[in-house]
Amino acid sequence: MIDLHGKPRWYFRRPGFPRRALPGLPWSPQFMAEYAAAMEGDKAEIGKKQTLQGSIAALIASYYRSAEYSGMADSTKRAVRNILERFRAEHGDKRVAHLEKRHIQKIMAGKATTPDAANRLLRLLRTLIAHAIDLGWRRDDPTASVKKLRHRTEGFTTWEEEHIDAFLAHHGAGSRAHLAFSLLLHTGPRRGDVVRMGRQHVRAGVLSIVQQKTGQEVSIPVHPHLRAALDALPKDNLTFIMSERGKPMTPEGFTNWFRKIVEAVVDDDGKRLLPDGLSPHGLRKATCRRLAEAGCSAHEIMAISGYQTLAEVTRYTVAANRVYLAERAVAALEQQEARTKTVKPAP
């Protein structure tokens, strides 16, 4: 709109959200930063003025305005907000000061059938209580002595070599499925990064991208198999992986599509050749596994994967070293047995 002084003004307008002035010129860094902040802003709630001060709903709304939440990657924000909004719908009218250990334990017990989800909620509740303490709404932490639910899991299923071979045999070179698989296998990205990758990230045979989740920059020489797939793409693609409509994909849309192309790997009788649970993140784990089995150090794996601590990658190198050491042990045993057989006892 044009103001009283004849200057153009831009505002963010979206149904259910408050109007917000956007500074600077469209597409300028200042403008886009404010626009992104407006997109992540709290939705205007009916009856928001009646939100009880000191309630869980008020605490969650305050947390959304905190520096901790604002500093999260967009994908992390969405995951956190999904969990907290469900919790607010169930308990938002309760007062933070009245929350006790027994209440937390009851909530956890109600989610016993989904221990991973229960433990994620517990972590977020601890974050919320810490925020409440900072605000002066509480002096103690009722979540401090609440234990996580026991649940042994190996996490995302790692792709094994027979799975990789079966997928590539079914989805040949030149297909979108083959391209997506090659990017995942040869660069080890998270789904939020693989959907952003494009020609702008490749210079002099090296693919460089700043990881959305951690802000860590990784630079990976392009594998020959991946280079062949990228060279065959149209030069005007915004991203390497495009939807059927020719648009960039969202992380969630990519995962749903990837699940379908995994299910499509069947034999001549229509029987599936790949087990359930194989995901894009499982290929990220396979990349780390392959690097470890090739003898790469933990630091070398970190350079490719973007992991920021040794603890995150040590399990791959430890597993690979165990196989290597076991092979050496068996070989040494066989050599010892052979020497024993060839040495004849003295007469």
Side-chain angles (χ1 to χ4, degrees):
M1 62 175 291
I2 304 299
D3 65 14
L4 297 176
H5 303 285
K7 294 182 179 181
R9 304 284 184 183
W10 287 270
Y11 293 89
F12 174 88
R13 287 190 178 94
R14 184 179 175 188
F17 287 74
R19 191 176 79 158
R20 189 164 178 168
L22 301 176
L25 296 174
W27 306 110
S28 67
Q30 185 182 15
F31 181 96
M32 296 309 297
E34 191 68 18
Y35 178 82
M39 288 294 291
E40 283 293 332
D42 289 335
K43 193 170 183 178
E45 302 173 17
I46 298 175
K48 187 173 183 179
K49 292 183 179 179
Q50 284 74 43
T51 299
L52 180 64
Q53 179 66 20
S55 66
I56 289 175
L59 178 62
I60 292 175
S62 175
Y63 177 68
Y64 288 155
R65 297 189 293 271
S66 70
E68 179 178 350
Y69 180 81
S70 299
M72 294 178 180
D74 290 342
S75 58
T76 306
K77 285 181 179 178
R78 286 194 294 271
V80 168
R81 188 179 283 267
N82 286 339
I83 296 173
L84 291 184
E85 286 305 306
R86 288 194 294 270
F87 185 73
R88 175 154 63 172
E90 296 177 15
H91 307 284
D93 59 337
K94 299 179 176 66
R95 294 189 65 85
V96 176
H98 296 167
L99 195 61
E100 299 178 11
K101 176 182 176 179
R102 60 187 178 89
H103 298 139
I104 305 296
Q105 291 174 324
K106 183 177 180 181
I107 291 171
M108 294 288 288
K111 296 181 177 295
T113 57
T114 55
D116 285 338
N119 292 335
R120 285 194 294 270
L121 175 60
L122 180 61
R123 287 197 297 270
L124 283 177
L125 290 180
R126 286 175 174 156
T127 299
L128 283 178
I129 294 300
H131 185 63
I133 293 173
D134 289 340
L135 295 174
W137 294 8
R138 288 194 71 109
R139 294 183 178 180
D140 64 322
D141 182 359
T143 70
S145 59
V146 177
K147 296 181 179 180
K148 296 192 299 183
L149 298 184
R150 290 188 177 184
H151 179 50
R152 297 192 64 180
T153 176
E154 297 298 325
F156 292 94
T157 303
T158 303
W159 287 68
E160 302 298 341
E161 292 305 309
E162 62 267 25
H163 303 149
I164 294 172
D165 292 341
F167 186 98
L168 293 176
H170 185 87
H171 295 289
S175 65
R176 283 198 306 142
H178 187 279
L179 169 64
F181 196 88
S182 297
L183 280 168
L184 290 166
L185 183 63
H186 295 303
T187 66
R190 298 178 180 85
R191 65 177 188 174
D193 294 324
V194 74
V195 297
R196 296 165 47 230
M197 290 180 174
R199 294 193 184 279
Q200 69 275 19
H201 296 115
V202 180
R203 293 289 185 276
V206 177
L207 191 154
S208 299
I209 190 168
V210 176
Q211 294 184 332
Q212 193 174 47
K213 182 176 181 179
T214 64
Q216 176 70 42
E217 182 176 9
V218 292
S219 297
I220 306 168
V222 178
H223 191 282
H225 293 167
L226 177 58
R227 185 184 303 115
L230 298 182
D231 288 344
L233 291 176
K235 303 300 181 183
D236 57 348
N237 277 16
L238 295 175
T239 55
F240 290 139
I241 304 174
M242 307 288 280
S243 69
E244 293 181 353
R245 298 180 179 180
K247 302 292 184 182
M249 302 183 76
T250 64
E252 295 80 9
F254 175 79
T255 298
N256 292 334
W257 170 71
F258 191 86
R259 185 182 298 112
K260 293 177 181 178
I261 62 178
V262 169
E263 294 173 352
V265 180
V266 297
D267 61 17
D268 294 337
D269 297 324
K271 182 180 178 181
R272 288 186 57 183
L273 298 177
L274 297 176
D276 292 334
L278 293 180
S279 65
H281 200 84
L283 268 180
R284 175 172 167 82
K285 294 177 67 174
T287 300
C288 295
R289 171 185 60 78
R290 282 182 149 198
L291 292 169
E293 292 172 352
C296 295
S297 68
H299 286 94
E300 289 170 328
I301 297 174
M302 289 172 67
I304 298 294
S305 65
Y307 283 127
Q308 296 181 310
T309 65
L310 287 172
E312 292 175 303
V313 297
T314 298
R315 62 182 179 271
Y316 297 110
T317 56
V318 168
N321 287 339
R322 283 177 177 169
V323 173
Y324 174 68
L325 292 174
E327 290 175 347
R328 284 185 57 187
V330 172
L333 179 61
E334 291 175 348
Q335 291 175 3
Q336 177 62 28
E337 291 174 344
R339 287 195 297 268
T340 302
K341 291 179 180 180
T342 57
V343 175
K344 295 181 179 181

